[in-house]
Amino acid sequence: MSELIGKIGSEIEKIALEVVTLENGDIPAMGDVMNRLCFLEEKAGEIKEGAFNNLVSALKGYLEKLILSELDDMGPFEEGIEKLQSIHRAMVNEEPFRGDIHPLLKKLGFNSKPNDKGEEVQEEATPEIAEGEEKEPQTESTDAKEEPAAESFEESSQETQELSEEDRQILQDFVVESLENLGTIEVSLIDLEQDPTDAETINAIFRPFHTIKGVSGFLNLDKINKLAHSAENLLDKARNGEIRVEGMVIDLILESVDMLKKMIEGVQDALETGGPLDAGIDIGPLVKRINDAHSGEGDKPLGEILVNKGAVAKEDVEEGLSKQKEEPDKKIGGILVEEKKTGSKEVISALREQKRYNRRHIDLQVKVDTKKLDNLVDLTGELVISQAMLRQNEWVRNANDQKLFHTLNQLNQITSSLQRTAMSLRMIPIKSTFQKMVRLVRDLAKNSGKEVGLEMSGEETEIDRNVVDELYEPMVHMIRNAVDHGIEMPDEREKAGKDRKGTIFLKAYHRGGNIIIEIKDNGRGLDKARILEKARSSNLITDEDQLTESEIYNLIFRPGFSTAQKVTDISGRGVGMDVVKRAIEKLRGRVEINSIPGEGSTFVISLPLTLAIIEGMVVRVGKERYIIPALAILESFRPQKDQYSTVEGKGELILSRGRLIPLIRLDRVFGVQGDSVHPWDGLVVAVESDGEQRCLLLDELLGKEEVVIKSLGESLKHTKGIAGGAIMGDGRVGLILDISGLFEIAQMN
């Protein structure tokens, strides 16, 4: 039976890992989860646990509805997987599962309830009880009073329609602040895993739980308050050196973070839908496990410090620890003082020696609605345009008034400063996105059986809030590929003379007007031969094609391309890197790949700091002006006659740096009358997209500018070759070129 329970646990863990990044509509991934649930359902008959059997059936039915798009809420499914893990833990410990899964089964649309024998029976009305408390035997007396805890839980499940607007705003602020606080915990936990005695890190984790506990108590969110309080107590014992922060304690804190996030997100959903604030999550088993961990002995550094100082005898410390087991809420220092084994002065001195506090200056902050920030950025952009139009006005340019020019220069400086300030208000550190990768790497490594660490630098690098939101998905795909394809198994690394533990490096920094993100691993590197073999077998290239190293690596961004020899739970289905390419292009960025066989690979993402402003080269074709994004430009030059040639089937070509590059005539693409008939009469700008190069024929370079991007409206939104528009200094509109779209147009012609 233990072997079967082990197999079931392995499948549940794999499902839990899939759910971390599972997106509604990802049918292949959902299919994998369904296969695992079918395995669990098949094995359920061999287990005498009714709650497990019913929950597996309920999850299977709910997932079928998700696949068929009859439902779109992943929340109950994720909650069900967590409950499966709780039931499995009870099986491993050979204990009966005491939680109540009936509310969860209702959410999943499974209207049956297991009896004591694990059989399904008709649902019966049952009185609500507080989470984590056992039901009292029912008596005939009708005068029994409800426990205070039950009253408080019922109070927290009130409908949000009863709340005043002021209460709603307070709850909304609580949700935002709490989710931000919880987001900082995971990275600190990884640091703590490396150095469990770091008091500063323990304090950094303790504070968010303490804040959530205090505010949730004020708001009568009793379940959130109870769980945060339990986690806070656990960390308080760690702060006082009464327990050591090791694997089990870290797992408990991570589970607490996950469950608190779900409950707080449940409050957010309730505010939007008008439902009850109580998310219906059973916190009882987790709270019990946290409370059980409180009594664990672990290391007792405080007692050791007192003994080493000669302030107390070792026997007195051991006696105090025995009493602490009977009264878990008391601290060892307090017990020793009460028993008059030592003085409070000695305990305080020992605590000071144990703890290292950093007093940090706290900046005053004001919360502003993001819509107001976006509106401010838009208005500032309009001001910049109007100021440029004023300077370009014919009357102003012909004026000979030095005072006017001085005032205009002052206006220009003020406007530029205002624009930079407005843009900076939307900038946030990339730290929040990096932090999510820490948990992802930890889970992926655990599932794949590999030893993988994550090192980060530049987390404080700031980037536009909208860019951060769009960056998460491509980074998830790249991290998954790095763990699965890049990092080798520990034994393989050891044979190659490497450390058994692989490392993924995340780095962010500013370069010019862009943000650079590097994702590097010290794994096996990309196999060029295998990539070429796969590309030829997929008819992406022919045997005659001579590709550069960069072009070979860029083949992995083709849809459906994968060199994986087998499909794993992490990757290998041929999806992912094409998603990365599309997402980065959408952000007007690009990805470069560097790889050394046996040493690892580096993916370098280059992105604009903001999506509101673009730096580009303003060019003229006939009477029209266009903006070429600076990121795409390689060089500009006036070609000689002997650099121009035509090749049948390939069109016009320009020789540049020993390479023939196809020519695109912008006047023909956009149907305008250009001045240059022959390339040597005009100028060409060499541009690049996805490793491909083209030369754009134009009449004049007008200069480099930062322009405010304007949408062309719904009717022109999807015009190929155009990314948007910009109002120029004379009030006319210049079109911003979409380089990859231009390449597609050229290939069709």
Side-chain angles (χ1 to χ4, degrees), residues 389-458:
M389 291 172 67
L390 177 62
R391 291 184 69 88
Q392 300 258 347
N393 184 279
E394 196 70 26
W395 183 83
V396 173
R397 292 175 67 181
N398 293 331
N400 192 22
D401 187 338
Q402 292 303 315
K403 189 174 180 181
L404 173 62
F405 289 137
H406 178 70
T407 305
L408 284 174
N409 286 331
Q410 280 188 313
L411 176 62
N412 182 47
Q413 291 174 7
I414 294 169
T415 305
S416 298
S417 178
L418 177 61
Q419 185 183 33
R420 284 194 299 271
T421 303
M423 296 307 304
S424 69
L425 293 176
R426 279 208 325 197
M427 306 293 274
I428 61 172
I430 200 170
K431 184 176 182 178
S432 59
T433 303
F434 274 22
Q435 285 177 341
K436 294 173 185 176
M437 300 302 118
V438 175
R439 180 72 181 276
L440 180 64
V441 168
R442 189 175 190 269
D443 291 343
L444 291 173
K446 185 178 179 182
N447 184 65
S448 63
K450 297 178 180 179
E451 297 177 21
V452 188
L454 180 67
E455 293 186 10
M456 301 182 296
S457 63

Side-chain angles (χ1 to χ4, degrees), residues 5 84 156 257 297 299-300 347 366 416 479 499 547 696 743:
I5 290 175
L84 264 188
S156 71
V257 170
E297 291 190 14
D299 284 347
K300 307 297 185 297
V347 172
V366 178
S416 298
I479 294 291
D499 192 327
L547 303 181
L696 306 181
F743 286 12

Side-chain angles (χ1 to χ4, degrees), residues 536-550:
R536 290 189 180 108
S537 65
S538 303
N539 296 320
L540 295 176
I541 61 173
T542 64
D543 293 336
E544 290 76 27
D545 288 334
Q546 298 296 318
L547 303 181
T548 64
E549 186 175 85
S550 175

